[in-house]
Amino acid sequence: MIEARRLHILRAVADHRTVTAAAAALYLTPSAVSQQLTALEQETGHRLVERGAKGVRLTPAGEILLSHTNAVLAQLERAEAELAAYGSGEAGTVTVAAFATGIAQVVAPAVARLAAKAPGIRIRVRDAEGDASLPMVLDRQVDVAVAVEYRGAPPADDPRLTHVPLYAEPFDAVVPLGHRLADTAEVPLAELAKDPWIGPYPGNPCHDVVVLACESAGFQPRLEHSSDDFRAVVALAAADAGVALVPRSALCGMDLAGVVVRPVDGVAPTRRVFAAVRRGAEGHPLIRPVLEALGEAART
């Protein structure tokens, strides 16, 4: 009989590519993970992983078992959801990981809505970029991720996750007050090809949006300054250190005295924000109201 907890460990190893990283994500020791993998290989009668200098990869037998693992774990999530519904499930804690602007845009309003509509549900919020929050969901560190589409992100049809679209917003061009394009109604990105740029670090989903937008305009941005805090990005632009693309919602309430904000000429780069939960958990009586509240906040 295959134990479900060992399937969870197999998926973590497949996701993180090393025993050490999987162990850290699961709050286990590397030796415990290795022991569970060995036990799973004994249960199945097949070698499931191969260890090499660059980490761990699944064998063909391991890949077969992983495809069933996603279905099994999703079904277990559904079972937990139904049992929780049977027991009313009107009180409990749901942990939500979201990036800073997403917290302000939809998570905080959702917390306020739930306080009025479902006071038994307590929300715990953790600040995490989109590329970090999705692994946190898969590793059961949080229940819900509010994330951004990015290059390399799990697709909407990923068998491990259920995606709920929330909102999409354009990036605006931010240039210093005395910039040559400050008086234009819209900023053509190609005109900024020779400017120094300010933007998020590689790995931040917004970094990918900026780079892809510039590449589509025919150039590679020369990123002179890096910060994941858009207030710092705008402050540097105000100091005439460069130009930037910033999500529109991130500019709300910000001191823009030293910069000019303009729409991008043509098709504006866009960040698409969604909520994600482990597949099968979307019907849980604690998680379902949270997803609904996030959706309501996004629509308003």
Side-chain angles (χ1 to χ4, degrees), residues 193-251:
K194 295 183 179 180
D195 285 82
W197 278 74
I198 313 157
Y201 283 101
N204 185 314
C206 289
H207 174 88
D208 286 347
V209 175
V210 171
V211 171
L212 287 172
C214 293
E215 288 175 352
S216 296
F219 69 97
Q220 189 76 25
R222 178 163 53 91
L223 284 163
E224 295 266 333
H225 311 283
S226 298
S227 175
D228 288 336
D229 186 335
F230 286 116
R231 290 171 299 179
V233 170
V234 170
L236 286 168
D240 204 18
V243 299
L245 288 173
V246 177
R248 188 166 290 173
S249 66
L251 296 168

Side-chain angles (χ1 to χ4, degrees), residues 51-274:
R51 294 169 174 80
K54 295 184 179 180
V56 177
R57 69 179 185 87
L58 298 188
T59 65
E63 293 286 356
I64 291 171
L65 183 57
L66 180 64
S67 66
H68 291 283
T69 292
N70 292 327
V72 169
L73 294 182
Q75 191 59 42
L76 286 174
E77 293 282 356
R78 295 186 189 98
E80 290 181 10
E82 288 190 23
L83 287 171
Y86 178 75
S88 78
E90 295 179 355
T93 299
V94 176
T95 304
V96 180
F99 57 98
T101 311
I103 292 173
Q105 195 83 349
V106 292
V107 177
V111 170
R113 289 172 183 273
L114 287 166
K117 295 174 59 177
I121 299 178
R122 177 172 173 261
I123 304 296
R124 295 177 58 196
V125 180
R126 295 180 62 177
D127 189 330
E129 292 297 336
D131 57 328
S133 61
L134 294 176
M136 290 165 72
V137 168
L138 291 171
D139 293 333
R140 304 183 71 88
Q141 296 174 20
V142 302
D143 303 300
V144 182
V146 175
V148 178
E149 290 182 4
Y150 62 94
R151 186 160 40 188
D157 60 353
D158 190 295
R160 302 168 297 171
L161 296 167
T162 293
H163 284 222
V164 179
L166 294 177
Y167 65 94
E169 63 173 330
F171 281 62
D172 288 327
V174 178
V175 301
L177 203 56
H179 193 273
R180 64 187 183 281
L181 298 179
D183 293 332
T184 61
E186 295 181 333
V187 172
L189 281 187
E191 296 295 321
L192 301 176
K194 295 183 179 180
D195 285 82
W197 278 74
I198 313 157
Y201 283 101
N204 185 314
C206 289
H207 174 88
D208 286 347
V209 175
V210 171
V211 171
L212 287 172
C214 293
E215 288 175 352
S216 296
F219 69 97
Q220 189 76 25
R222 178 163 53 91
L223 284 163
E224 295 266 333
H225 311 283
S226 298
S227 175
D228 288 336
D229 186 335
F230 286 116
R231 290 171 299 179
V233 170
V234 170
L236 286 168
D240 204 18
V243 299
L245 288 173
V246 177
R248 188 166 290 173
S249 66
L251 296 168
C252 295
M254 199 180 291
D255 181 6
L256 303 174
V259 299
V260 171
V261 179
R262 293 288 184 264
V264 172
D265 185 28
V267 179
T270 301
R271 74 169 171 183
R272 291 174 172 78
V273 180
F274 62 93

